[in-house]
């Protein structure tokens, strides 16, 4: 039976040479082997070079040449997405636009395909920290890409000085103050938890050989990507006070510029309903758990979440006070490696 859930589509934009392809390839290497991803690339010219690299990752790849998705190739993207869906039935499709694409046109086309079984997950813009200040004044497209996006990846940040990075961030903030900026380096890329699965489609429940739930709510290489973690666990026996209303009010207090994601399991102490929590850059969803095996495996859990962001040591006391009442539970801070 074919899953009738819509296929989430993640769009990567970024000016010429910003590092979109490299970022995507690094991202694909971090995903579970059983998670099926297809890549739709849009490039100028007629030589499908990057697809040869991408195909080495064992995913379905299709390139659209000699035109731009947002204008020249309007209509062809729909045919390409439908073909990928029919051929591979993927869990997700990543669209990599050409360096000159306007993100609005691409996103509107995807939104118009809701009836065909697709949903726009997010638009990710890759900013080249080495060259951005050189082309921002001359490229209308680069400015639009920085403005119309859900997450801005500060790529190649390790190749510039701290002073230069601050200047780049200042210039990006002039175009877009509110959108989260996340560091992505040339070697490790960025954690999938920060740019994929904003619609909760990527979240999966996994069990180890003993039947216990595995720690699957974050990328194990997050430290290399300069993301701090705080892991919170509270047993069900100590979580009667923790209600859905309390949780929602607490989530609204989290600053999205510092705390990127919150993912895991939470139980409403008022009615004992278990939820999957997915909080992304200020937005969140709570999905009721109905699967009996999951309910059984998590029967002793009131809170089991991972918080991801920058400089979380500053937020540790505040989070501990809010979630670990009177020491009934555990909180662990894992600081990222700094380049």
């Amino acid at each position: 039976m074919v899953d009738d859930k819509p296929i989430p589509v993640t769009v990567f934009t970024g000016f010429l040479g910003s590092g979109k392809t490299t970022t995507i390839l690094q991202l694909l290497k971090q995903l579970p082997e059983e998670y099926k991803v297809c890549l739709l690339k849009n490039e100028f010219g007629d030589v499908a070079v990057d697809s040869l690299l991408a195909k080495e990752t064992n995913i379905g790849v299709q390139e659209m040449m000699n035109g731009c998705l947002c204008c020249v190739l309007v209509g062809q993207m729909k045919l390409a997405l439908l073909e990928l869906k029919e051929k591979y039935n993927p869990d997700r499709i990543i669209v990599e636009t050409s360096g000159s694409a306007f993100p609005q046109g691409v996103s509107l086309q995807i939104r118009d395909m809701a009836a065909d079984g697709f949903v726009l997950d997010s638009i990710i813009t890759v900013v080249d920290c080495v060259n951005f200040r050189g082309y921002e004044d001359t490229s209308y497209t680069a400015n639009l890409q920085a403005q119309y996006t859900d997450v801005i990846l500060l790529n190649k940040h390790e190749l510039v000085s701290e002073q230069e990075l601050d200047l780049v961030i200042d210039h990006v903030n002039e175009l877009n103050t509110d959108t989260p900026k996340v560091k992505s380096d040339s070697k490790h890329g960025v954690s999938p938890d920060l740019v994929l699965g904003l619609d909760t489609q990527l979240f999966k429940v996994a069990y180890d050989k003993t039947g216990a739930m595995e720690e699957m709510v974050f990328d194990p290489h997050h430290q290399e990507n300069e993301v701090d973690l705080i892991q919170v666990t509270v047993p069900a026996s100590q979580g009667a006070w923790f209600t859905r209303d309390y949780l929602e009010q607490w989530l609204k207090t989290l600053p999205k510029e510092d705390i990127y994601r919150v993912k895991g399991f939470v139980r409403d102490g008022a009615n004992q309903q278990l939820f999957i929590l997915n909080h992304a850059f200020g937005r969140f969803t709570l999905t009721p758990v109905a699967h009996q095996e999951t309910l059984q495996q998590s029967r002793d859990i009131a809170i089991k979440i991972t918080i991801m962001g920058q400089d979380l040591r500053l937020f540790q006391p505040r989070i501990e006070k809010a979630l670990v009442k009177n020491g009934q539970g555990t909180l662990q801070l894992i600081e990222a490696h700094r380049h």
Side-chain angles (χ1 to χ4, degrees):
M1 179 179 177
V2 177
D3 194 343
D4 59 358
K5 289 183 179 180
I7 298 173
V9 180
T10 301
V11 178
F12 276 78
T13 69
F15 201 60
L16 296 168
S18 60
K20 297 186 297 297
T21 300
T22 300
T23 299
I24 291 171
L25 294 178
Q26 290 166 333
L27 196 65
L28 294 173
K29 293 176 183 178
Q30 300 179 62
L31 296 177
E33 290 184 7
E34 68 275 13
Y35 192 76
K36 294 187 293 184
V37 180
C38 286
L39 173 62
L40 174 59
K41 285 182 57 64
N42 173 212
E43 195 53 88
F44 290 107
D46 57 2
V47 181
V49 175
D50 287 332
S51 63
L52 299 178
L53 295 173
K55 285 176 180 176
E56 292 185 6
T57 62
N58 245 355
I59 64 168
V61 181
Q62 187 162 337
E63 284 200 322
M64 298 176 65
M65 314 301 294
N66 284 319
C68 182
L69 281 176
C70 68
C71 45
V72 179
L73 299 180
V74 168
Q76 291 187 35
M77 182 169 70
K78 178 175 181 177
L79 296 176
L81 290 176
L82 289 171
E83 183 176 336
L84 288 173
K85 179 182 179 182
E86 180 179 353
K87 187 174 181 179
Y88 297 102
N89 188 31
D91 295 301
R92 176 175 301 275
I93 294 176
I94 293 176
V95 174
E96 180 187 345
T97 69
S98 70
S100 64
F102 290 177
Q104 296 96 320
V106 177
S107 64
L108 287 174
Q109 290 183 70
I110 296 171
R111 291 189 187 282
D112 287 342
M113 295 182 65
D116 298 300
F118 299 93
V119 60
L120 178 64
D121 176 16
S122 59
I123 296 176
I124 312 298
T125 295
V126 181
V127 167
D128 177 357
C129 291
V130 175
N131 299 304
F132 181 74
R133 291 206 300 136
Y135 61 61
E136 65 165 329
D137 292 333
T138 58
S139 173
Y140 176 63
T141 301
N143 289 331
L144 278 180
Q145 291 168 346
Q147 293 176 51
Y148 194 88
T149 182
D150 295 296
V151 179
I152 292 174
L153 297 185
L154 300 171
N155 199 30
K156 310 177 190 176
H157 67 89
E158 77 284 6
L159 301 179
V160 300
S161 66
E162 287 295 326
Q163 181 181 8
E164 177 63 21
L165 178 60
D166 289 340
L167 287 173
V168 171
I169 293 174
D170 287 343
H171 282 241
V172 172
N173 280 334
E174 289 179 9
L175 298 171
N176 190 334
T177 303
D178 297 330
T179 297
K181 288 84 180 173
V182 178
K183 291 180 179 179
S184 172
D185 65 65
S186 305
K187 183 178 180 181
H188 303 294
V190 66
S191 165
D193 288 301
L194 298 181
V195 294
L196 300 184
L198 303 189
D199 55 356
T200 75
Q201 294 301 310
L202 186 57
F203 191 98
K204 290 189 176 184
V205 177
Y207 303 97
D208 63 22
K209 294 179 180 179
T210 68
M213 282 190 297
E214 293 181 343
E215 294 291 349
M216 69 304 183
V217 295
F218 66 93
D219 166 32
H221 301 292
H222 58 86
Q223 294 97 334
E224 299 171 352
N225 300 326
E226 302 202 355
V227 177
D228 297 336
L229 296 183
I230 288 181
Q231 294 174 293
V232 179
T233 302
V234 176
S237 59
Q238 305 296 331
W241 60 272
F242 187 76
T243 65
R244 176 171 180 167
D245 288 342
Y246 179 91
L247 171 66
E248 292 186 357
Q249 290 303 313
W250 176 71
L251 290 173
K252 291 175 183 177
T253 70
L254 301 181
K256 65 180 180 180
E257 61 273 13
D258 298 301
I259 296 179
Y260 304 148
R261 305 290 308 263
V262 184
K263 299 174 70 175
F265 293 93
V266 293
R267 187 181 303 277
D268 187 340
N271 57 26
Q272 294 302 300
Q273 172 68 59
L274 183 70
F275 293 91
I276 293 173
L277 165 64
N278 191 25
H279 174 281
F281 304 109
R283 305 186 304 270
F284 66 89
T285 58
L286 288 166
T287 305
V289 176
H291 194 275
Q292 289 302 312
E293 184 179 9
T294 305
L295 291 171
Q296 177 65 20
Q297 294 289 343
S298 58
R299 64 186 183 279
D300 296 327
I301 294 173
I303 305 172
K304 187 180 180 68
I305 61 174
T306 298
I307 302 165
M308 295 165 253
Q310 291 281 354
D311 299 319
L312 294 188
R313 179 176 291 279
L314 301 176
F315 297 94
Q316 181 177 354
R318 174 173 153 190
I319 294 171
E320 190 163 14
K321 181 178 179 181
L323 300 181
V324 186
K325 298 289 187 179
N326 301 317
Q328 302 296 326
T330 61
L331 181 148
Q332 181 184 14
L333 170 68
I334 305 174
E335 290 189 285
H337 168 69
R338 305 301 181 194
H339 293 287

